[in-house]
């Protein structure tokens, strides 16, 4: 069943029509549920990265953009993903130690960040 809603706005001298079809909303509802689930997964994954940015910003005063770049730089030098590096940094606050390689690279990344900082 198709519905049409027409309105006329004198202020803009314009007619607006809205048309929708209610014949099969199940497919659309399923698509919206799937999209919603995917967005929730992405949000959960992003939380760790945002927390790690906060850790970087607290330890080495910088903007969130620079903290994001710092994590990407550290990930490149460690051969890991940004998400893995973020999990490792956040994990240190839960008592999990960093690997020896990540500790070395973290020190080097802090030096690079400070060297690039505006005076």
């Amino acid at each position: 069943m198709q519905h049409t809603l027409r309105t006329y706005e004198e202020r803009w001298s314009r007619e607006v029509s809205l048309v929708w079809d209610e014949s099969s909303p199940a497919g659309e509802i399923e698509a919206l549920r799937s999209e919603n689930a995917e967005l929730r997964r992405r949000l959960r994954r992003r939380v760790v990265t945002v927390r790690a940015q906060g850790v970087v910003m607290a330890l080495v005063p910088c903007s969130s953009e620079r903290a994001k770049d710092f994590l990407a730089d550290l990930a490149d030098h460690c051969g890991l993903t940004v998400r893995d590096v973020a999990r490792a940094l956040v994990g240190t606050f839960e008592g999990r130690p960093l690997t020896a390689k990540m500790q070395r690279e973290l020190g080097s990344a802090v030096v690079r960040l400070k060297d690039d900082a505006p005076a």
Side-chain angles (χ1 to χ4, degrees), residues 24-62:
S24 179
E28 189 174 336
I29 290 171
E30 187 55 40
L32 289 171
R33 284 185 177 145
S34 176
E35 181 182 3
N36 190 14
E38 176 62 24
L39 291 172
R40 286 177 188 272
R41 275 191 295 276
R42 287 183 187 180
L43 187 59
R44 278 194 305 271
R45 279 187 248 154
R46 183 160 186 229
V47 167
V48 173
T49 305
V50 171
R51 286 179 66 192
Q53 285 176 342
V55 169
V56 171
M57 291 167 60
L59 297 176
V60 184
C62 63

mmCIF file of all heavy atoms in Angstrom, residues 24-62:
data_model
loop_
_atom_site.group_PDB
_atom_site.id
_atom_site.type_symbol
_atom_site.label_atom_id
_atom_site.label_comp_id
_atom_site.label_asym_id
_atom_site.label_seq_id
_atom_site.Cartn_x
_atom_site.Cartn_y
_atom_site.Cartn_z
ATOM 1 N N SER A 24 6.335 -3.868 2.164
ATOM 2 C CA SER A 24 7.296 -4.838 2.691
ATOM 3 C C SER A 24 8.330 -4.153 3.580
ATOM 4 O O SER A 24 9.481 -4.018 3.194
ATOM 5 C CB SER A 24 7.984 -5.551 1.536
ATOM 6 O OG SER A 24 8.913 -6.463 2.037
ATOM 7 N N PRO A 25 7.940 -3.749 4.772
ATOM 8 C CA PRO A 25 8.909 -3.088 5.642
ATOM 9 C C PRO A 25 9.885 -4.062 6.301
ATOM 10 O O PRO A 25 10.890 -3.646 6.846
ATOM 11 C CB PRO A 25 8.024 -2.408 6.686
ATOM 12 C CG PRO A 25 6.812 -3.267 6.769
ATOM 13 C CD PRO A 25 6.611 -3.778 5.366
ATOM 14 N N ALA A 26 9.615 -5.355 6.249
ATOM 15 C CA ALA A 26 10.473 -6.329 6.930
ATOM 16 C C ALA A 26 11.909 -6.263 6.418
ATOM 17 O O ALA A 26 12.849 -6.306 7.206
ATOM 18 C CB ALA A 26 9.908 -7.733 6.759
ATOM 19 N N GLY A 27 12.094 -6.175 5.121
ATOM 20 C CA GLY A 27 13.442 -6.083 4.550
ATOM 21 C C GLY A 27 14.162 -4.823 4.983
ATOM 22 O O GLY A 27 15.351 -4.845 5.316
ATOM 23 N N GLU A 28 13.438 -3.720 4.999
ATOM 24 C CA GLU A 28 14.028 -2.451 5.419
ATOM 25 C C GLU A 28 14.368 -2.481 6.900
ATOM 26 O O GLU A 28 15.432 -2.017 7.326
ATOM 27 C CB GLU A 28 13.070 -1.301 5.127
ATOM 28 C CG GLU A 28 13.695 0.058 5.335
ATOM 29 C CD GLU A 28 12.772 1.184 4.889
ATOM 30 O OE1 GLU A 28 11.899 0.951 4.035
ATOM 31 O OE2 GLU A 28 12.952 2.285 5.420
ATOM 32 N N ILE A 29 13.482 -3.070 7.691
ATOM 33 C CA ILE A 29 13.735 -3.178 9.138
ATOM 34 C C ILE A 29 14.966 -4.043 9.386
ATOM 35 O O ILE A 29 15.827 -3.705 10.201
ATOM 36 C CB ILE A 29 12.499 -3.737 9.868
ATOM 37 C CG1 ILE A 29 11.383 -2.697 9.869
ATOM 38 C CG2 ILE A 29 12.852 -4.159 11.292
ATOM 39 C CD1 ILE A 29 10.055 -3.204 10.378
ATOM 40 N N GLU A 30 15.088 -5.131 8.669
ATOM 41 C CA GLU A 30 16.252 -6.007 8.830
ATOM 42 C C GLU A 30 17.533 -5.284 8.428
ATOM 43 O O GLU A 30 18.571 -5.421 9.086
ATOM 44 C CB GLU A 30 16.078 -7.287 8.010
ATOM 45 C CG GLU A 30 17.153 -8.305 8.250
ATOM 46 C CD GLU A 30 17.319 -8.679 9.717
ATOM 47 O OE1 GLU A 30 16.314 -8.815 10.437
ATOM 48 O OE2 GLU A 30 18.478 -8.823 10.150
ATOM 49 N N ALA A 31 17.483 -4.499 7.357
ATOM 50 C CA ALA A 31 18.655 -3.735 6.928
ATOM 51 C C ALA A 31 19.051 -2.714 7.991
ATOM 52 O O ALA A 31 20.234 -2.527 8.284
ATOM 53 C CB ALA A 31 18.368 -3.033 5.597
ATOM 54 N N LEU A 32 18.059 -2.061 8.589
ATOM 55 C CA LEU A 32 18.339 -1.084 9.647
ATOM 56 C C LEU A 32 18.911 -1.760 10.892
ATOM 57 O O LEU A 32 19.825 -1.237 11.532
ATOM 58 C CB LEU A 32 17.073 -0.299 10.001
ATOM 59 C CG LEU A 32 16.608 0.689 8.937
ATOM 60 C CD1 LEU A 32 15.233 1.242 9.301
ATOM 61 C CD2 LEU A 32 17.614 1.811 8.766
ATOM 62 N N ARG A 33 18.394 -2.936 11.225
ATOM 63 C CA ARG A 33 18.939 -3.682 12.370
ATOM 64 C C ARG A 33 20.384 -4.085 12.120
ATOM 65 O O ARG A 33 21.239 -4.001 13.002
ATOM 66 C CB ARG A 33 18.092 -4.917 12.652
ATOM 67 C CG ARG A 33 16.806 -4.600 13.342
ATOM 68 C CD ARG A 33 16.045 -5.849 13.714
ATOM 69 N NE ARG A 33 14.834 -5.476 14.434
ATOM 70 C CZ ARG A 33 13.700 -6.115 14.349
ATOM 71 N NH1 ARG A 33 13.598 -7.184 13.594
ATOM 72 N NH2 ARG A 33 12.659 -5.705 15.025
ATOM 73 N N SER A 34 20.670 -4.514 10.918
ATOM 74 C CA SER A 34 22.032 -4.909 10.560
ATOM 75 C C SER A 34 22.977 -3.707 10.629
ATOM 76 O O SER A 34 24.085 -3.809 11.158
ATOM 77 C CB SER A 34 22.028 -5.505 9.159
ATOM 78 O OG SER A 34 23.320 -5.822 8.748
ATOM 79 N N GLU A 35 22.521 -2.588 10.090
ATOM 80 C CA GLU A 35 23.334 -1.366 10.139
ATOM 81 C C GLU A 35 23.561 -0.931 11.585
ATOM 82 O O GLU A 35 24.670 -0.545 11.964
ATOM 83 C CB GLU A 35 22.641 -0.248 9.364
ATOM 84 C CG GLU A 35 23.415 1.045 9.344
ATOM 85 C CD GLU A 35 22.698 2.164 8.601
ATOM 86 O OE1 GLU A 35 21.563 1.950 8.133
ATOM 87 O OE2 GLU A 35 23.279 3.253 8.512
ATOM 88 N N ASN A 36 22.533 -1.020 12.398
ATOM 89 C CA ASN A 36 22.632 -0.661 13.808
ATOM 90 C C ASN A 36 23.662 -1.551 14.518
ATOM 91 O O ASN A 36 24.495 -1.063 15.288
ATOM 92 C CB ASN A 36 21.267 -0.773 14.475
ATOM 93 C CG ASN A 36 21.239 -0.196 15.853
ATOM 94 O OD1 ASN A 36 22.129 0.526 16.265
ATOM 95 N ND2 ASN A 36 20.190 -0.512 16.594
ATOM 96 N N ALA A 37 23.627 -2.840 14.259
ATOM 97 C CA ALA A 37 24.575 -3.776 14.877
ATOM 98 C C ALA A 37 26.004 -3.456 14.454
ATOM 99 O O ALA A 37 26.925 -3.474 15.277
ATOM 100 C CB ALA A 37 24.212 -5.207 14.512
ATOM 101 N N GLU A 38 26.193 -3.147 13.177
ATOM 102 C CA GLU A 38 27.527 -2.805 12.674
ATOM 103 C C GLU A 38 28.036 -1.514 13.317
ATOM 104 O O GLU A 38 29.205 -1.425 13.711
ATOM 105 C CB GLU A 38 27.502 -2.666 11.149
ATOM 106 C CG GLU A 38 28.810 -2.211 10.549
ATOM 107 C CD GLU A 38 29.957 -3.178 10.795
ATOM 108 O OE1 GLU A 38 29.721 -4.376 11.016
ATOM 109 O OE2 GLU A 38 31.115 -2.716 10.772
ATOM 110 N N LEU A 39 27.183 -0.524 13.446
ATOM 111 C CA LEU A 39 27.587 0.729 14.085
ATOM 112 C C LEU A 39 27.951 0.521 15.551
ATOM 113 O O LEU A 39 28.899 1.120 16.058
ATOM 114 C CB LEU A 39 26.477 1.778 13.946
ATOM 115 C CG LEU A 39 26.259 2.294 12.530
ATOM 116 C CD1 LEU A 39 25.014 3.170 12.484
ATOM 117 C CD2 LEU A 39 27.475 3.050 12.027
ATOM 118 N N ARG A 40 27.218 -0.350 16.234
ATOM 119 C CA ARG A 40 27.542 -0.665 17.633
ATOM 120 C C ARG A 40 28.903 -1.354 17.733
ATOM 121 O O ARG A 40 29.697 -1.063 18.626
ATOM 122 C CB ARG A 40 26.462 -1.532 18.260
ATOM 123 C CG ARG A 40 25.196 -0.789 18.582
ATOM 124 C CD ARG A 40 24.137 -1.747 19.142
ATOM 125 N NE ARG A 40 22.872 -1.094 19.279
ATOM 126 C CZ ARG A 40 22.479 -0.422 20.358
ATOM 127 N NH1 ARG A 40 23.288 -0.311 21.385
ATOM 128 N NH2 ARG A 40 21.296 0.141 20.398
ATOM 129 N N ARG A 41 29.194 -2.281 16.807
ATOM 130 C CA ARG A 41 30.498 -2.958 16.808
ATOM 131 C C ARG A 41 31.617 -1.942 16.598
ATOM 132 O O ARG A 41 32.628 -1.976 17.291
ATOM 133 C CB ARG A 41 30.553 -4.026 15.710
ATOM 134 C CG ARG A 41 29.981 -5.361 16.117
ATOM 135 C CD ARG A 41 30.316 -6.436 15.096
ATOM 136 N NE ARG A 41 29.693 -6.209 13.800
ATOM 137 C CZ ARG A 41 28.463 -6.565 13.476
ATOM 138 N NH1 ARG A 41 27.709 -7.195 14.354
ATOM 139 N NH2 ARG A 41 27.982 -6.328 12.274
ATOM 140 N N ARG A 42 31.430 -1.058 15.643
ATOM 141 C CA ARG A 42 32.453 -0.036 15.372
ATOM 142 C C ARG A 42 32.670 0.866 16.579
ATOM 143 O O ARG A 42 33.803 1.219 16.893
ATOM 144 C CB ARG A 42 32.052 0.819 14.178
ATOM 145 C CG ARG A 42 32.167 0.119 12.865
ATOM 146 C CD ARG A 42 31.813 1.051 11.746
ATOM 147 N NE ARG A 42 31.755 0.371 10.484
ATOM 148 C CZ ARG A 42 31.466 0.965 9.343
ATOM 149 N NH1 ARG A 42 31.194 2.258 9.318
ATOM 150 N NH2 ARG A 42 31.433 0.275 8.229
ATOM 151 N N LEU A 43 31.601 1.232 17.234
ATOM 152 C CA LEU A 43 31.700 2.098 18.409
ATOM 153 C C LEU A 43 32.464 1.401 19.533
ATOM 154 O O LEU A 43 33.319 2.008 20.170
ATOM 155 C CB LEU A 43 30.301 2.503 18.879
ATOM 156 C CG LEU A 43 30.233 3.528 19.992
ATOM 157 C CD1 LEU A 43 30.920 4.824 19.588
ATOM 158 C CD2 LEU A 43 28.785 3.802 20.360
ATOM 159 N N ARG A 44 32.178 0.116 19.763
ATOM 160 C CA ARG A 44 32.893 -0.624 20.802
ATOM 161 C C ARG A 44 34.385 -0.697 20.491
ATOM 162 O O ARG A 44 35.219 -0.585 21.378
ATOM 163 C CB ARG A 44 32.324 -2.034 20.946
ATOM 164 C CG ARG A 44 31.088 -2.095 21.807
ATOM 165 C CD ARG A 44 30.750 -3.530 22.203
ATOM 166 N NE ARG A 44 30.604 -4.427 21.064
ATOM 167 C CZ ARG A 44 29.461 -4.647 20.414
ATOM 168 N NH1 ARG A 44 28.363 -4.025 20.793
ATOM 169 N NH2 ARG A 44 29.406 -5.481 19.407
ATOM 170 N N ARG A 45 34.730 -0.902 19.218
ATOM 171 C CA ARG A 45 36.139 -0.967 18.831
ATOM 172 C C ARG A 45 36.821 0.386 19.009
ATOM 173 O O ARG A 45 37.977 0.452 19.376
ATOM 174 C CB ARG A 45 36.270 -1.410 17.374
ATOM 175 C CG ARG A 45 36.162 -2.896 17.224
ATOM 176 C CD ARG A 45 36.464 -3.287 15.815
ATOM 177 N NE ARG A 45 35.212 -3.772 15.258
ATOM 178 C CZ ARG A 45 34.888 -3.762 13.993
ATOM 179 N NH1 ARG A 45 35.707 -3.281 13.112
ATOM 180 N NH2 ARG A 45 33.740 -4.226 13.592
ATOM 181 N N ARG A 46 36.095 1.438 18.747
ATOM 182 C CA ARG A 46 36.676 2.776 18.800
ATOM 183 C C ARG A 46 36.952 3.234 20.226
ATOM 184 O O ARG A 46 37.857 4.034 20.464
ATOM 185 C CB ARG A 46 35.712 3.751 18.122
ATOM 186 C CG ARG A 46 36.289 5.109 18.076
ATOM 187 C CD ARG A 46 35.657 5.981 17.061
ATOM 188 N NE ARG A 46 36.461 7.181 17.093
ATOM 189 C CZ ARG A 46 36.001 8.384 17.183
ATOM 190 N NH1 ARG A 46 34.752 8.580 17.157
ATOM 191 N NH2 ARG A 46 36.795 9.416 17.253
ATOM 192 N N VAL A 47 36.207 2.724 21.192
ATOM 193 C CA VAL A 47 36.359 3.145 22.584
ATOM 194 C C VAL A 47 37.790 2.944 23.063
ATOM 195 O O VAL A 47 38.358 3.817 23.715
ATOM 196 C CB VAL A 47 35.353 2.383 23.478
ATOM 197 C CG1 VAL A 47 35.677 2.549 24.944
ATOM 198 C CG2 VAL A 47 33.944 2.875 23.209
ATOM 199 N N VAL A 48 38.398 1.815 22.726
ATOM 200 C CA VAL A 48 39.762 1.531 23.173
ATOM 201 C C VAL A 48 40.729 2.550 22.590
ATOM 202 O O VAL A 48 41.614 3.054 23.287
ATOM 203 C CB VAL A 48 40.176 0.095 22.780
ATOM 204 C CG1 VAL A 48 41.628 -0.155 23.093
ATOM 205 C CG2 VAL A 48 39.296 -0.906 23.476
ATOM 206 N N THR A 49 40.568 2.885 21.325
ATOM 207 C CA THR A 49 41.458 3.846 20.690
ATOM 208 C C THR A 49 41.309 5.226 21.310
ATOM 209 O O THR A 49 42.304 5.913 21.553
ATOM 210 C CB THR A 49 41.179 3.910 19.172
ATOM 211 O OG1 THR A 49 41.277 2.593 18.635
ATOM 212 C CG2 THR A 49 42.157 4.812 18.463
ATOM 213 N N VAL A 50 40.090 5.631 21.593
ATOM 214 C CA VAL A 50 39.858 6.940 22.209
ATOM 215 C C VAL A 50 40.463 6.975 23.615
ATOM 216 O O VAL A 50 41.066 7.976 24.012
ATOM 217 C CB VAL A 50 38.353 7.277 22.229
ATOM 218 C CG1 VAL A 50 38.080 8.517 23.047
ATOM 219 C CG2 VAL A 50 37.841 7.458 20.806
ATOM 220 N N ARG A 51 40.338 5.892 24.365
ATOM 221 C CA ARG A 51 40.952 5.830 25.700
ATOM 222 C C ARG A 51 42.466 5.933 25.596
ATOM 223 O O ARG A 51 43.109 6.623 26.384
ATOM 224 C CB ARG A 51 40.560 4.541 26.420
ATOM 225 C CG ARG A 51 39.128 4.572 26.913
ATOM 226 C CD ARG A 51 38.727 3.301 27.602
ATOM 227 N NE ARG A 51 39.473 3.120 28.846
ATOM 228 C CZ ARG A 51 39.491 1.987 29.518
ATOM 229 N NH1 ARG A 51 38.825 0.939 29.079
ATOM 230 N NH2 ARG A 51 40.178 1.887 30.631
ATOM 231 N N ALA A 52 43.052 5.249 24.624
ATOM 232 C CA ALA A 52 44.501 5.308 24.433
ATOM 233 C C ALA A 52 44.935 6.720 24.052
ATOM 234 O O ALA A 52 45.987 7.191 24.496
ATOM 235 C CB ALA A 52 44.938 4.306 23.366
ATOM 236 N N GLN A 53 44.132 7.410 23.238
ATOM 237 C CA GLN A 53 44.452 8.812 22.916
ATOM 238 C C GLN A 53 44.472 9.643 24.186
ATOM 239 O O GLN A 53 45.343 10.499 24.362
ATOM 240 C CB GLN A 53 43.428 9.386 21.942
ATOM 241 C CG GLN A 53 43.583 8.912 20.537
ATOM 242 C CD GLN A 53 42.475 9.444 19.632
ATOM 243 O OE1 GLN A 53 41.428 9.887 20.091
ATOM 244 N NE2 GLN A 53 42.705 9.379 18.342
ATOM 245 N N GLY A 54 43.535 9.396 25.074
ATOM 246 C CA GLY A 54 43.504 10.113 26.343
ATOM 247 C C GLY A 54 44.742 9.837 27.180
ATOM 248 O O GLY A 54 45.284 10.737 27.824
ATOM 249 N N VAL A 55 45.200 8.596 27.180
ATOM 250 C CA VAL A 55 46.418 8.237 27.907
ATOM 251 C C VAL A 55 47.603 9.023 27.345
ATOM 252 O O VAL A 55 48.393 9.611 28.095
ATOM 253 C CB VAL A 55 46.686 6.716 27.815
ATOM 254 C CG1 VAL A 55 48.075 6.365 28.316
ATOM 255 C CG2 VAL A 55 45.629 5.942 28.575
ATOM 256 N N VAL A 56 47.714 9.040 26.029
ATOM 257 C CA VAL A 56 48.815 9.768 25.384
ATOM 258 C C VAL A 56 48.729 11.255 25.716
ATOM 259 O O VAL A 56 49.735 11.886 26.072
ATOM 260 C CB VAL A 56 48.803 9.551 23.849
ATOM 261 C CG1 VAL A 56 49.801 10.464 23.157
ATOM 262 C CG2 VAL A 56 49.091 8.088 23.528
ATOM 263 N N MET A 57 47.527 11.811 25.651
ATOM 264 C CA MET A 57 47.354 13.241 25.930
ATOM 265 C C MET A 57 47.702 13.576 27.382
ATOM 266 O O MET A 57 48.199 14.667 27.665
ATOM 267 C CB MET A 57 45.918 13.661 25.611
ATOM 268 C CG MET A 57 45.609 13.640 24.131
ATOM 269 S SD MET A 57 43.845 13.763 23.740
ATOM 270 C CE MET A 57 43.425 15.323 24.461
ATOM 271 N N ALA A 58 47.465 12.634 28.294
ATOM 272 C CA ALA A 58 47.786 12.867 29.704
ATOM 273 C C ALA A 58 49.295 12.762 29.953
ATOM 274 O O ALA A 58 49.854 13.525 30.747
ATOM 275 C CB ALA A 58 47.036 11.873 30.583
ATOM 276 N N LEU A 59 49.948 11.820 29.285
ATOM 277 C CA LEU A 59 51.374 11.598 29.516
ATOM 278 C C LEU A 59 52.266 12.573 28.761
ATOM 279 O O LEU A 59 53.309 12.978 29.261
ATOM 280 C CB LEU A 59 51.749 10.158 29.143
ATOM 281 C CG LEU A 59 51.066 9.074 29.970
ATOM 282 C CD1 LEU A 59 51.440 7.698 29.440
ATOM 283 C CD2 LEU A 59 51.446 9.202 31.440
ATOM 284 N N VAL A 60 51.882 12.899 27.546
ATOM 285 C CA VAL A 60 52.652 13.817 26.711
ATOM 286 C C VAL A 60 51.677 14.894 26.253
ATOM 287 O O VAL A 60 50.949 14.676 25.290
ATOM 288 C CB VAL A 60 53.234 13.096 25.474
ATOM 289 C CG1 VAL A 60 54.112 14.041 24.671
ATOM 290 C CG2 VAL A 60 53.988 11.850 25.864
ATOM 291 N N PRO A 61 51.613 16.015 26.940
ATOM 292 C CA PRO A 61 50.601 17.020 26.591
ATOM 293 C C PRO A 61 50.575 17.329 25.085
ATOM 294 O O PRO A 61 51.575 17.774 24.518
ATOM 295 C CB PRO A 61 51.029 18.241 27.403
ATOM 296 C CG PRO A 61 51.782 17.667 28.558
ATOM 297 C CD PRO A 61 52.477 16.451 28.019
ATOM 298 N N CYS A 62 49.440 17.007 24.471
ATOM 299 C CA CYS A 62 49.265 17.238 23.039
ATOM 300 C C CYS A 62 47.773 17.208 22.723
ATOM 301 O O CYS A 62 46.962 16.848 23.569
ATOM 302 C CB CYS A 62 50.013 16.181 22.214
ATOM 303 S SG CYS A 62 49.425 14.503 22.449
#
